Amino acid sequence: MAAARVVVAGAGMAGLRTAEALRAGGFAGEVVVLGDEPWAPYNRPPLSKEALKGGVEHAGVAFRQRASVADVDWRLGTAVTGVDLHGRSVTLADGSALDYDALVAATGVSARRLHVDGPPPEARAGRHVVRTLDDARALRAELVPGARLVVVGAGFIGCEVAATARLLGCEVDCVAVDSHPMVRPLGIELATELQRRHEAQGVRFHLGTGVRAFAGEERVRGVVLSDGTELAADVVVEALGSRPATDWLEGHGLDLADGVLTDSALRPVVLDAAADRVGPLDGVAVVGDLARFPNHRFDDAAWRVEHWNIPTETGRRAGAVLAAHLAGEGYEAVVGADWTVLPAFWSDQYDLRLQSYGMPSLADPDGARVLEGDLAGECVVGYSRGDDLVGVVGIGMLREVNAYRDRVGRGAGVPA
Amino acid sequence: MSLKVVVDMDVCQDHGQCVFSAPDVFQLDGEGHLVLLVEEPDESLRSACEDAADVCPVQAITIEG
Ligand SMILES: Cc1cc2nc3c(=O)[nH]c(=O)nc-3n(C[C@H](O)[C@H](O)[C@H](O)COP(=O)(O)OP(=O)(O)OC[C@H]3O[C@@H](n4cnc5c(N)ncnc54)[C@H](O)[C@@H]3O)c2cc1C
Ligand code: SF4
């Protein structure tokens, strides 16, 4: 029998971690990683923070790779355009096909764009997004002192870019339909406080409003808000969240409503009764930002979580599961064992370090409470749903917030 | 070759995530700064140390040997 081949679609963090976990799980066959970017896997969080401030170089953000993956066949600059899940082969952009014994879907997400009138959605028109190294590089070149930046979207990435741009001497306006920056993941109390801190640093917020159009023709000159107000702009960043990269997986009856729905072994679930089978698909795993997987740590629902520790956690799970599958051990052994994940997230804005564990967004509307410290300084905020602590967030106070980490999830109770 | 852990202290930002993976090797001191407890941990801690290197958000940890 020829050596088995695993094909990994997507050369990001999740693809890398899965390749490493396949080796750790004893898989010695061929691993081919296909990535549409020209770069070996690199760390994205610095792209809105220190790397955007200092200078965006691949060498500064590239992931260290374990020695065990030195023989992986990295095919960079190669997009996957389709897949035949029954014939087990992927189609590449040049029309060629590549067979596999097992497949890893690790294509992540891409940045969402605003579809309104104005100059084209391109960096050279002054309209930027921040997802890739090349995006960050193009943006960095325009963040010169005195430049007028308008950030559309006040989530974490939007707020981080706003903070970095202030540190670089730009003028910054931030527009969002939400009532407060980062209010969806953090709740109103913390969001109000963080808004105050951004304003103290000179960021001007325009909240509860959408964008009607971008002014300018070849290049953006301004941002027109819902009420017709126009903000002058030399540079615009669209930080409106993401769109899972599932195009290549369409047409197989998978649930692609929000990323790819999987079971707890990270197998994609075929839902379409018209397809010739229903249920989880063996020999395929979905990892990282792309995966919507059940996490019994919180409840029985499946969630897609765009946090930095998810590629590592799901990659380890997928590598172990697929290595066992390819060794002929079957799924029973691994599927039975309960597998849960604690999402972890951090954010740096000015000299503030935010550290979050769990899923604060699941909290009851009045479920947020300061557990330690005070909101105006350093603090730990707990988020509860009924009797469960579903998340904790620290502003500073790292040791304190870390101490709550193991209590987050179903059944451990809310701290007194 | 024996296991050796190197932390680039110019890069480390005291995220403390390494502590959860390998508490016998990494700790935060009273001020919340990282201390490397052992530079050449026992071979039995290799996988814990590799996990710690994986979860460091700023890639400050290198495993040699
Ligand atoms: C600017 C920024 C800041 C962030 N900051 C934080 C933070 O502070 N804290 C935190 O916890 N998380 C943060 N994150 C989130 C974190 O970086 C992601 O969760 C992580 O990168 C997800 O990894 P992934 O491998 O699943 O997806 P990705 O990193 O998106 O990798 C997927 C790869 O697949 C490629 N691809 C897509 N389609 C195809 C195709 N058809 N064929 C071939 N290749 C394809 C993509 O180009 C990409 O290279 C941040 C993200 C960004 C963008
Ligand atoms: S995880 Fe990295 S940055 Fe954080 S304390 Fe450990 S070495 Fe330092």
Side-chain angles (χ1 to χ4, degrees):
Chain A
M1 195 182 95
R5 177 192 290 148
V6 178
V7 167
V8 180
M13 186 183 194
L16 170 63
R17 292 291 185 248
T18 309
E20 291 174 335
L22 278 161
R23 290 287 185 248
F27 176 69
E30 198 186 343
V31 178
V32 182
V33 185
L34 306 162
D36 62 358
E37 290 186 72
W39 307 106
Y42 59 87
N43 202 16
R44 295 186 198 277
L47 301 181
S48 50
K49 311 179 183 74
E50 63 269 21
L52 184 59
K53 184 154 158 272
V56 193
E57 292 304 327
H58 182 255
V61 290
F63 279 118
R64 296 221 169 86
Q65 301 186 7
R66 294 192 182 188
S68 63
V69 294
D71 63 350
V72 164
D73 182 358
W74 297 96
R75 300 195 195 165
L76 303 173
T78 305
V80 179
T81 51
V83 62
D84 174 353
L85 291 175
H86 299 296
R88 289 193 294 183
S89 83
V90 290
T91 316
L92 310 183
D94 66 3
S96 65
L98 183 66
D99 294 341
Y100 62 77
D101 298 284
L103 173 70
V104 178
T107 46
V109 300
S110 59
R112 205 183 278 277
R113 285 280 188 177
L114 216 57
H115 299 285
V116 295
D117 288 346
E122 291 161 14
R124 60 191 167 79
R127 288 181 58 182
H128 297 263
V129 291
V130 192
R131 180 74 199 172
T132 67
L133 187 70
D134 296 329
D135 292 339
R137 232 180 226 175
L139 173 62
R140 178 65 185 86
E142 300 208 324
L143 295 182
V144 294
R148 293 167 302 177
L149 167 69
V150 176
V151 179
V152 185
F156 281 106
I157 292 179
C159 287
E160 289 173 356
V161 169
T164 304
R166 283 300 296 150
L167 296 172
L168 288 168
C170 304
E171 287 196 37
V172 180
D173 287 282
C174 181
V175 180
V177 286
D178 293 333
S179 65
H180 294 80
M182 300 168 279
V183 66
R184 279 183 254 184
L186 296 180
I188 192 98
E189 295 84 356
L190 206 47
T192 306
E193 173 58 22
L194 290 171
Q195 177 176 349
R196 186 186 69 75
R197 298 193 193 195
H198 272 278
E199 284 169 348
Q201 298 280 350
V203 175
R204 297 178 295 250
F205 284 98
H206 309 269
L207 298 161
T209 176
V211 168
R212 184 192 290 174
F214 291 116
E217 282 169 25
E218 308 273 277
R219 241 199 101 88
V220 74
R221 264 191 295 105
V223 176
V224 185
L225 308 185
S226 308
D227 67 0
T229 316
E230 184 173 329
L231 304 172
D234 304 309
V235 191
V236 168
V237 170
E238 292 161 64
L240 298 146
S242 57
R243 208 184 134 267
T246 52
D247 297 358
W248 64 285
L249 286 164
E250 268 163 27
H252 298 282
L254 303 179
D255 179 341
L256 304 178
D258 177 26
V260 185
L261 177 67
T262 76
D263 71 354
S264 112
L266 300 175
R267 287 177 292 188
V269 180
V270 180
L271 288 182
D272 187 355
D276 57 7
R277 48 174 298 168
V278 173
L281 205 59
D282 287 355
V284 183
V286 188
V287 292
D289 281 2
L290 191 65
R292 178 159 45 100
F293 58 91
N295 185 0
H296 302 296
R297 183 153 185 150
F298 297 96
D299 48 34
D300 297 327
W303 301 103
R304 201 171 65 74
V305 186
E306 292 183 24
H307 286 185
W308 191 85
N309 75 324
I310 300 299
T312 299
E313 299 275 359
T314 54
R316 284 181 189 157
R317 171 75 166 169
V321 166
L322 290 181
H325 168 70
L326 291 163
E329 289 165 26
Y331 271 89
E332 294 71 25
V334 284
V335 173
D338 203 18
W339 173 75
T340 66
V341 173
L342 179 65
F345 182 92
W346 85 96
S347 177
D348 292 324
Q349 297 169 32
Y350 314 104
D351 52 357
L352 295 178
R353 160 74 48 79
L354 232 105
Q355 177 68 53
S356 159
Y357 295 111
M359 301 188 63
S361 57
L362 298 181
D364 296 328
D366 57 352
R369 195 157 54 80
V370 176
L371 298 175
E372 294 192 35
D374 71 298
L375 272 179
E378 298 205 329
C379 59
V380 178
V381 179
Y383 296 82
S384 56
R385 177 172 65 179
D387 293 332
D388 292 335
L389 184 68
V390 289
V392 280
V393 174
I395 306 283
M397 297 196 98
L398 184 72
R399 281 164 60 86
E400 289 79 359
V401 69
N402 281 359
Y404 285 99
R405 181 177 179 268
D406 290 339
R407 299 171 65 171
V408 175
R410 186 152 62 173
V414 177
Chain B
M1 209 166 113
S2 70
L3 176 62
K4 186 158 190 276
V5 177
V6 179
V7 181
D8 185 339
M9 286 301 181
D10 294 333
V11 173
C12 171
Q13 293 178 8
D14 301 318
H15 279 269
Q17 300 304 298
C18 50
V19 176
F20 296 115
S21 298
D24 296 331
V25 181
F26 305 93
Q27 278 298 323
L28 294 182
D29 68 15
E31 324 256 74
H33 297 307
L34 178 74
V35 246
L36 184 60
L37 300 177
V38 253
E39 279 175 27
E40 298 189 11
D42 187 77
E43 192 54 36
S44 62
L45 292 171
R46 177 178 295 275
S47 124
C49 291
E50 285 182 336
D51 288 353
D54 284 354
V55 301
C56 172
V58 293
Q59 302 277 290
I61 303 171
T62 320
I63 309 297
E64 295 176 359

